[in-house]
Amino acid sequence: MKPPTHTIGNRQNRVDARGKTTGATRFVTDIQVDNMLHAAPVYSSIPHGLLFGLDFTPAESDPDFVAFFSASDIPGENQVGVIIEDQPLMADKIVRYIGDSVGILVAKTAESAQRLAQLVELKINVLDPVFSINESRDATENFLHETNLACQHQVKRGDLKTAFNEADHIIEATFETPFQEHYYLEPQGCIAQPSATGGIYILGSIQCPFYVQKAVSKALKLPFAKIKVEQAPTGGAFGGKEDIPSEVCTRAALAAHRLNQPVKMIYGRVDDAQLTSKRHPFQMHYKVGVSKAGKILAADIKLEENAGAYATLSSVVSYRSAMQAMGPYVIPNISVESRSYYTNLPPTGAFRGFGSPQAAFGHERMMDIIAAELNIDPVELRLQNVLKVDTETQTGHRLSASVGAEETLRTAAAAANWTAQEVSENPRFKTGYGVSLIHYGNCLGAAGWFMDGSGAKIKVHRDGSISVAFGLIEMGQGALTVVNQMTAEALGVDPARITVLPTDTDQVPDSGPSVASRNVVMTGNAIRDAARQLLRILKEAAAELMQCDLNEIKIENDTVLNTRNAETLPFEELASYLYLSNRPMDVLGWWHVPELDYDALKGIGEAYFTYSYATHIAKVQVDTLTGQVRIDKIWASHDVGRAINPAGLEAQIEGGTAQGIGWALTENFKLELGKVLTDNLTTYLLPTALDVGEIESIIVEDPEPEGPWGAKGIGEPAIIPTAAAIVNAVSNALGKAVNKIPVIPEDILKALNEKSTGMNEDSTDYAACLKSNRKPGQPQYNREKPWPPPNDC
C-alpha cells in the first residue's frame, strides 16, 4: 500500500475533500452553546454505607443554583452497568466507594456547579469497607453485591496431574501488578442538548458512542432514533472513555432533558482520578512443570483481580487474561482460573490491553524464573516453546497463518545483540537485559463475538469528492489518517479527495466499541466491503459513458481507464455522470469477525480469530546507591500482519512502550481507605522523555488472511510486553527476582540490603565504600560525577 500523502494526526485539524486543513478543531472542554448550563457530580465521600437521605437546601439558596437531580428523577431504569447490571446510574440505597455518584447539581457556571455540589449533604450509615482481594474473597457475610465474586473465567485442557508427575522440575512463583491511572490529557466531559423533537443530542469525549446511546435510552426511556451521540475530538482515552462516558453523558442528558436546556459537564482532574475506572490490580500464582531440556509440560495458574465497587469491564479483563495466561507458547496441559472480586475502591475497567499486560507480566517473569532454574538462556527457552504455524495455543486453537512470534523474538534479539550483552564498568551501576514475548487476540474474541461487527459508509459527491463515515473513532491513535488511506487505496483515488467525517450514531449502524485494537481490522474490512459495492456502480457507469465492456474499466491513480483503447476519464467526470444518470452514490460496508469454535465452559477452542505478536527487550542500568532504574534502550519488535502506515505504527509502539515504562517504574498509584492520594501530576509520576530512554521499533510483516491487506492490530500489543521486559532486566541486573511492580527505588534498596544470591555481592557495600573513602573537602555525592572512581570501590 502506498504511504499517506498527508497526515491528519491527533485530529487537531479537520481535512476537507481536497485534503486541506480547515482550522483547529476544538475539544468539548472549549465548546460553548447558547443558554448552556453547567453540571457537577455529587458523590459519596464514604467508601461503604447505607444512603438514607439527600439534602440540597444548603445549595438551593445560592443565586447560581439551577437544579439538583438524583435517582428519584430518572424516568427509566436506574442502571448503567455495561456488561453486568450491577451499577446504578445514581446510587439510591447503598454507596460502594468514594466517588459513587448520588446526583448531579446544575448551576449557571462551571465554577458555581463545582462549589455548590460540595454543599449537598449525604446522610449515610457507615458500613465496614473491604479494600483488598483477599478480604473480599475470604468474606463469608456482608457482601458488596449478592456475592463478592464479580466474574470468573477458566481454561481446562489436558491431563494436568499426569503432566506434573512427568515433569523434571516444578517451579512456582507469585506476582503482583498495581492500579494504573489512564491520565488522558482531556478529562471526562460532554454537552447534552435537547432536540426540537423531544430527543437528545450529545457531544462528548468518548470512545464508544453506541454505548452512550444505549445508556441514555435506558435511563430516559427514549427510543434510539431520538438520541444522537457524536464523538468530539478526544484528547486521549486508553480505555478510560469506553464505559465511563455512559455515566457522565447520561447524567448530563437527564438534566438537559428535564430542564429543556443544554447542560455541560466536565470533570476536574481530582474528580476524574477519584470517580473513574483504573487498570485492574492483579495477584497471580503460577505453578509450571518443565522437562530438563526446558519444554513446558504443564501449568496451573490462579489469577485474581480487584474489580472495585462495580464490575464495569471486569468480565472482559478476566476473559482475556485467562485466555493468554501462559503466553505464546505450546502447552498441552493447563489450568487457568481467573476471578475478579468486588471491593470498596474505585471501579477498575478497560485499560489498554484488557488484562493482557498483567498476564504477560506473570508468564514472562515465570519464563525467566524457569530459565534461571534450568540455567538456560531466556531467549533459547522461549524459542523452544514458541507458537508457530500448525501448533496450538493454550486454548487449543490450531494456528494456520500469520504467526510471527518467533520472528519478533529473533529480530529483537539480533537488534539488541543479545548474545554479547554489555556490562557496566562502574560497580555502582548494574546493567541488566530482559526479554518479554507476548501474543494478543485481535478484536473482542469469542466472549464478545456477537457484537464484533463494524460499518463504514462511503459517499461519492457529484463534484468527485468523497466522504467516509466509520463506526469506530479517532482518539489520537491516527485512525483518521489510516481510514483516509484505506479508502483511497480501495477505490483507487487520491487521498486528497476524501473527507473522514466525525463519528456519530446516525451515520452507520452500531459498530461496537473502539477498543481491543479493532480499528484497522474492523474498519478496513468494512471499507473494502463498501468499496467493492461502490466500484461495481462506478464501473457500470464508466462502461456506459466510455462505451466499453465493464471488465475493461479500471480505476487507479485517481483516473478512470478503458484498458481496451487506453482512453482515460477524470474521476470528477465519472462522479458527475453517476449523479446525472440517477445511480446510487453512497453505500454501507459491513464486516463481522468470522464465527469462532469455542467451548466457553472449558475455555477451549478459538478464543480469537487471529493474534498479534511482539517481543520487547529492555536494557537497564540500576543505580545501587539510589535505587533508581534507568532505561537505556528498548528494542520493540511487532508482528503487525501488514504495515499499512509504518510511521503510525512506530508512533503507536513508542507511545505504548512509554506507557508500559510508567506502569513498571514511575506510576505508583496510592489510595488510603478508598481515597485516591495520587490525584495530580505532582504525586502521580508519569514518565517524561528523560525516563523513557531510546526505543527502537522493528516491524515484522506476516500477513493475516482475514485482515484488510493482511493487517492486524497494534494499539494494545504496544504496551503489553514492556513491564515484564523491564523487570526481567532489573532482576538480571540485581541477580535476584523482582516479582511486583512498580519497581520503586525503596524496593531496589531493600532488595540490595537483603542477602544476595551471589551475583552482585559488591552492590550493597558501595555506599559504605563511598563514605569511608571520601577525602577531606570532597562532596559527599554527585550524581553526574560520583567519587571515588570505580577502582576505589
Side-chain angles (χ1 to χ4, degrees):
M1 176 171 286
K2 57 190 175 186
T5 57
H6 66 291
T7 300
I8 297 172
N10 286 330
R11 204 172 180 180
Q12 298 297 316
N13 296 288
R14 301 273 180 179
V15 179
D16 66 13
R18 298 301 175 189
K20 297 179 180 179
T21 57
T22 58
T25 298
R26 294 182 299 166
F27 294 99
V28 69
T29 49
D30 302 319
I31 295 172
Q32 302 296 320
V33 176
D34 290 343
N35 301 315
M36 185 171 70
L37 299 171
H38 297 265
V42 176
Y43 56 86
S44 172
S45 60
I46 302 296
H48 196 199
L50 300 175
L51 179 66
F52 64 90
L54 293 168
D55 183 5
F56 61 88
T57 54
E60 199 172 16
S61 59
D62 192 286
D64 281 349
F65 176 86
V66 175
F68 174 77
F69 300 104
S70 63
S72 61
D73 298 299
I74 299 172
E77 189 176 347
N78 183 21
Q79 181 54 238
V80 76
V82 65
I83 296 177
I84 300 171
E85 293 194 340
D86 62 351
Q87 182 176 4
L89 177 64
M90 295 177 183
D92 59 344
K93 295 178 182 178
I94 302 175
V95 291
R96 294 183 172 91
Y97 76 104
I98 297 176
D100 212 349
S101 290
V102 301
I104 179 173
L105 190 138
V106 185
K108 294 178 182 178
T109 69
E111 294 76 14
S112 58
Q114 292 285 343
R115 174 175 54 83
L116 295 175
Q118 304 299 316
L119 300 181
V120 179
E121 296 177 1
L122 282 64
K123 299 176 181 180
I124 299 173
N125 284 331
V126 177
L127 299 174
D128 290 336
V130 172
F131 296 128
S132 73
I133 292 171
N134 294 345
E135 286 179 285
S136 180
R137 180 194 60 228
D138 297 340
T140 57
E141 59 183 359
N142 300 322
F143 300 130
L144 274 70
H145 296 270
E146 290 184 8
T147 172
N148 279 355
L149 181 64
C151 57
Q152 60 182 327
H153 293 88
Q154 65 178 12
V155 178
K156 301 289 182 180
R157 180 169 178 248
D159 185 346
L160 209 63
K161 183 177 180 180
T162 300
F164 274 123
N165 286 336
E166 294 174 352
D168 296 311
H169 299 271
I170 297 175
I171 302 167
E172 299 189 52
T174 299
F175 310 103
E176 293 180 25
T177 63
F179 285 101
Q180 187 178 21
E181 172 62 50
H182 298 91
Y183 230 104
Y184 26 69
L185 292 177
E186 176 197 29
Q188 301 281 348
C190 71
I191 300 172
Q193 303 177 62
S195 67
T197 60
I200 287 287
Y201 165 62
I202 296 170
L203 180 68
S205 180
I206 51 183
Q207 276 183 259
C208 308
F210 300 100
Y211 279 15
V212 174
Q213 185 184 47
K214 179 181 177 181
V216 172
S217 174
K218 181 184 288 187
L220 300 191
K221 293 181 70 174
L222 289 175
F224 281 30
K226 286 195 172 185
I227 303 166
K228 179 179 178 179
V229 182
E230 180 178 346
Q231 183 233 1
T234 295
F238 312 116
K241 294 176 182 175
E242 179 177 353
D243 62 314
I244 296 297
S246 295
E247 303 174 36
V248 179
C249 295
T250 304
R251 291 170 190 144
L254 170 66
H257 189 62
R258 291 291 301 269
L259 296 170
N260 197 33
Q261 205 168 336
V263 173
K264 181 177 185 177
M265 182 156 71
I266 306 293
Y267 280 4
R269 182 61 67 185
V270 172
D271 282 352
D272 201 297
Q274 183 65 57
L275 273 62
T276 67
S277 61
K278 323 295 173 199
R279 186 183 295 284
H280 287 70
F282 270 51
Q283 55 189 39
M284 302 170 273
H285 183 79
Y286 278 66
K287 176 183 175 182
V288 179
V290 295
S291 70
K292 292 177 182 178
K295 198 69 176 177
I296 301 173
L297 303 177
D300 187 4
I301 301 169
K302 302 288 191 298
L303 308 176
E304 295 179 310
E305 306 98 47
N306 193 324
Y310 300 105
T312 69
L313 276 300
S314 290
S315 180
V316 181
V317 170
S318 174
Y319 172 81
R320 188 175 283 276
S321 61
M323 298 307 110
Q324 300 170 182
M326 199 55 214
Y329 306 110
V330 177
I331 176 165
N333 307 286
I334 187 167
S335 169
V336 183
E337 295 176 356
S338 177
R339 295 186 174 97
S340 294
Y341 294 96
Y342 291 117
T343 64
N344 294 116
L345 294 177
T348 48
F351 201 128
R352 193 176 197 170
F354 281 103
S356 296
Q358 297 95 315
F361 184 81
H363 67 68
E364 289 307 282
R365 278 297 299 127
M366 197 66 203
M367 291 296 285
D368 263 34
I369 290 170
I370 294 168
E373 181 75 17
L374 273 58
N375 196 26
I376 297 176
D377 180 86
V379 168
E380 289 303 318
L381 178 68
R382 288 166 171 84
L383 286 172
Q384 280 193 52
N385 294 281
V386 70
L387 290 172
K388 302 175 183 179
V389 170
D390 207 31
T391 62
E392 293 183 352
T393 67
Q394 69 171 50
T395 67
H397 179 182
R398 183 162 292 277
L399 304 172
S400 59
S402 191
V403 188
E406 182 178 0
E407 189 174 353
T408 69
L409 183 56
R410 291 190 183 278
T411 53
N417 202 11
W418 179 265
T419 56
Q421 297 176 9
E422 296 178 4
V423 178
S424 174
E425 296 180 358
N426 187 338
R428 175 182 153 192
F429 296 96
K430 299 299 177 185
T431 303
Y433 286 76
V435 60
S436 175
L437 170 64
I438 63 96
H439 70 322
Y440 180 81
N442 280 209
C443 303
L444 301 181
W449 181 87
F450 68 95
M451 59 185 295
D452 217 356
S454 189
K457 183 178 181 180
I458 302 177
K459 181 176 182 178
V460 177
H461 299 267
R462 62 186 298 185
D463 63 350
S465 62
I466 298 169
S467 58
V468 56
F470 66 116
L472 304 181
I473 61 112
E474 167 70 62
M475 49 187 161
Q477 83 277 40
L480 296 184
T481 300
V482 176
V483 168
N484 179 293
Q485 187 180 352
M486 291 190 297
T487 305
E489 182 76 11
L491 292 176
V493 300
D494 192 321
R497 292 189 178 278
I498 298 166
T499 296
V500 183
L501 302 176
T503 302
D504 71 58
T505 51
D506 281 357
Q507 293 280 2
V508 294
D510 186 341
S511 297
S514 298
V515 299
S517 303
R518 297 177 74 229
N519 223 323
V520 166
V521 173
M522 305 299 297
T523 303
N525 279 327
I527 286 171
R528 295 185 78 177
D529 181 50
R532 278 192 291 268
Q533 300 174 54
L534 190 56
L535 283 171
R536 177 78 184 185
I537 298 169
L538 289 167
K539 288 181 178 181
E540 285 177 352
E544 183 177 291
L545 184 61
M546 302 176 82
Q547 297 184 346
C548 64
D549 187 78
L550 176 69
N551 296 326
E552 295 173 332
I553 295 293
K554 279 190 176 181
I555 301 176
E556 57 186 14
N557 300 321
D558 208 45
T559 300
V560 184
L561 172 69
N562 178 350
T563 58
R564 184 182 61 192
N565 57 17
E567 178 188 0
T568 61
L569 184 71
F571 188 81
E572 292 90 337
E573 289 189 27
L574 175 58
S576 178
Y577 184 75
L578 198 70
Y579 170 77
L580 293 172
S581 58
N582 292 311
R583 284 180 166 86
M585 300 189 71
D586 64 349
V587 295
L588 175 67
W590 184 261
W591 189 77
H592 197 286
V593 167
E595 190 170 355
L596 301 173
D597 182 9
Y598 176 76
D599 180 343
L601 184 62
K602 294 181 179 179
I604 300 299
E606 297 171 336
Y608 298 92
F609 86 97
T610 193
Y611 302 86
S612 297
Y613 302 88
T615 297
H616 286 192
I617 292 178
K619 178 189 175 188
V620 306
Q621 298 287 335
V622 179
D623 188 335
T624 62
L625 181 65
T626 67
Q628 293 283 346
V629 177
R630 185 184 75 211
I631 305 295
D632 276 358
K633 186 168 183 176
I634 290 180
W635 293 266
S637 181
H638 285 259
D639 167 24
V640 300
R642 177 80 184 278
I644 289 178
N645 187 329
L649 288 170
E650 289 183 7
Q652 284 279 52
I653 292 168
E654 291 169 6
T657 301
Q659 200 167 37
I661 291 169
W663 189 48
L665 296 178
T666 68
E667 298 180 36
N668 194 11
F669 188 87
K670 291 287 189 181
L671 295 120
E672 186 175 271
L673 300 177
K675 171 71 174 173
V676 176
L677 301 180
T678 48
D679 57 10
N680 59 69
L681 285 174
T682 301
T683 53
Y684 190 73
L685 303 181
L686 297 178
T688 69
L690 295 178
D691 300 308
V692 169
E694 183 183 354
I695 300 170
E696 180 180 332
S697 299
I698 303 164
I699 295 175
V700 170
E701 293 186 287
D702 192 341
E704 163 54 46
E706 292 286 351
W709 296 277
K712 298 189 289 191
I714 184 61
E716 261 80 9
I719 189 177
I720 296 169
T722 309
I726 291 169
V727 176
N728 283 342
V730 172
S731 299
N732 172 246
L734 297 179
K736 55 182 65 181
V738 176
N739 289 340
K740 70 174 185 176
I741 54 174
V743 181
I744 58 176
E746 293 88 337
D747 290 341
I748 293 289
L749 295 176
K750 181 180 178 182
L752 287 170
N753 286 322
E754 293 172 351
K755 185 177 180 180
S756 173
T757 60
M759 296 179 65
N760 290 301
E761 280 88 350
D762 57 336
S763 302
T764 56
D765 299 326
Y766 191 73
C769 180
L770 278 179
K771 184 176 180 180
S772 63
N773 284 277
R774 184 167 59 90
K775 296 179 174 64
Q778 178 71 35
Q780 272 194 309
Y781 169 64
N782 184 309
R783 181 186 296 271
E784 301 301 325
K785 297 180 179 180
W787 181 91
N791 60 353
D792 287 354
C793 292

